[in-house]
Amino acid sequence: MTGAALLALISIGTVGGAHLLSRARWTWRSPRTAIALWQALGLGWGVATIGALLGFALMPYDHGIAGGLPLLLADHAARLDAWHVAALLSAVTLAAVLLVMLAYAVVRVVRARRRHRALLALISRRDAAVPGTLVLDHPTAAAYCVPGVRSSKVVVSAGTLELLDPAELAAVLAHERAHARERHDLVLLPFASLRQVFPQIGLVGRCLDAVELLIEMAADDRARQHRAPRELATALLRFAAARPAAAPSGALGVATADDIPVMARVNRLLQPVPVGRPTRVAATVAVPLIALVPLLLYALPH
């Protein structure tokens, strides 16, 4: 079987894997492992799909992808017929679209954060009750993190200070600092970019939703290392009941008004169930395989 055929099978397999993973519930018990698996699936799909197209386009050179590309450049694609030229153009177009849209997503998020930081400098204040945190004088419940390369801002509203008791507030702040420390915003960027490329494909939207929930659960796990799980659980319930404001563009909030993800997070905080060892080991082994095998197939001679 040629490298192109193997890459095509991997591409199809990653789509099937994404479909299964978007519906899996073991991921809630081990969110960090699941996030790594999602990242591997996304990378594996992109590399495998582009590689399958390139492999088919370069079949007339009979040297695989790595060996065929120099020959293609040397003879200016003289050996390619219309089908192989179409595959080559498709591969180049897909790679360019994915990279351009990812760059666009990065620029858009950076600009949104810059504008919001400038706004915070004008309207936020410091409060001795929440050191290291910016407070907005607004009655609506809100708590979010604005990540940054040099420093991140954790923001809460006056409505949040009234809504939560000190222990719950501390748990929420620990959750937001976990987002900043682990740079969960960078995890989301490729998936958000992919949704911009394929807005009509429901699976892509489900993938983004699944990853968004997993990073919230990962931040919950980090927060409960410092605070009692019940404190964060009750804070999440209070937020859900208060119908919190959406986090600004480029920011990560502690909770939304969507009841189903909130209850899933509350239940796992109050009744944690560890993921089984076989599942965890299988997922851990799958991550490097899914990410690296497509790249290795680029070097397959034929």
Side-chain angles (χ1 to χ4, degrees):
M1 184 178 287
T2 65
L6 288 172
L7 285 164
L9 287 176
I10 291 174
S11 175
I12 295 170
T14 57
V15 173
H19 176 75
L20 293 175
L21 197 61
S22 69
R23 300 181 182 278
R25 291 297 174 262
W26 70 263
T27 56
W28 294 0
R29 302 195 296 273
S30 185
R32 285 183 177 79
T33 301
I35 288 169
L37 189 54
W38 271 116
Q39 291 174 309
L41 281 171
L43 177 62
W45 173 82
V47 173
T49 303
I50 293 169
L53 292 168
L54 280 177
F56 177 75
L58 296 171
M59 285 181 71
Y61 295 94
D62 200 28
H63 281 73
I65 298 174
L69 280 173
L71 299 176
L72 171 75
L73 296 174
D75 72 357
H76 305 289
R79 301 187 201 180
L80 304 188
D81 61 19
W83 288 105
H84 295 106
V85 169
L88 178 62
L89 292 176
S90 297
V92 172
T93 300
L94 178 59
V97 168
L98 292 176
L99 291 174
V100 168
M101 292 305 292
L102 179 59
Y104 171 73
V106 171
V107 170
R108 188 180 63 175
V109 167
V110 169
R111 287 178 175 174
R113 288 177 187 164
R114 186 181 297 120
R115 288 194 298 268
H116 194 67
R117 284 172 179 269
L119 182 63
L120 289 174
L122 296 174
I123 65 174
S124 66
R125 61 178 174 84
R126 300 284 181 174
D127 193 314
V130 280
T133 303
L134 299 178
V135 177
L136 297 176
D137 288 318
H138 197 281
T140 303
Y144 58 89
C145 164
V146 184
V149 176
R150 296 176 183 173
S151 64
S152 299
K153 305 291 186 183
V154 175
V155 183
V156 298
S157 66
T160 298
L161 299 182
E162 295 180 3
L163 179 69
L164 305 180
D165 66 30
E168 293 167 345
L169 180 60
V172 166
L173 295 179
H175 173 99
E176 293 304 328
R177 288 169 184 144
H179 277 320
R181 188 180 305 111
E182 299 185 8
R183 292 311 305 266
H184 288 153
D185 56 305
L186 300 181
V187 175
L188 286 177
L189 269 176
F191 295 96
S193 172
L194 200 60
R195 187 170 64 176
Q196 291 176 341
V197 177
F198 304 108
Q200 303 303 321
I201 298 179
L203 177 59
V204 176
R206 294 202 306 273
C207 293
L208 178 59
D209 292 341
V211 175
E212 285 179 336
L213 180 56
L214 288 171
I215 66 169
E216 293 301 329
M217 290 178 171
D220 291 343
D221 289 346
R222 180 69 70 178
R224 70 178 175 185
Q225 293 178 7
H226 306 283
R227 308 297 308 184
R230 184 171 294 277
E231 295 171 356
L232 182 56
T234 56
L236 290 175
L237 291 174
R238 290 181 189 274
F239 261 95
R243 317 306 290 180
S249 176
L252 298 171
V254 69
T256 67
D258 195 332
D259 295 335
I260 295 177
V262 168
M263 289 310 303
R265 291 168 61 189
V266 169
N267 290 336
R268 70 184 295 275
L269 282 168
L270 298 179
Q271 298 176 331
V273 179
V275 68
R277 181 177 176 83
T279 301
R280 186 173 63 251
V281 171
T284 302
V285 171
V287 168
L289 288 177
I290 295 171
L292 296 178
V293 167
L295 286 172
L296 295 177
L297 290 177
Y298 274 52
L300 194 68
H302 181 64

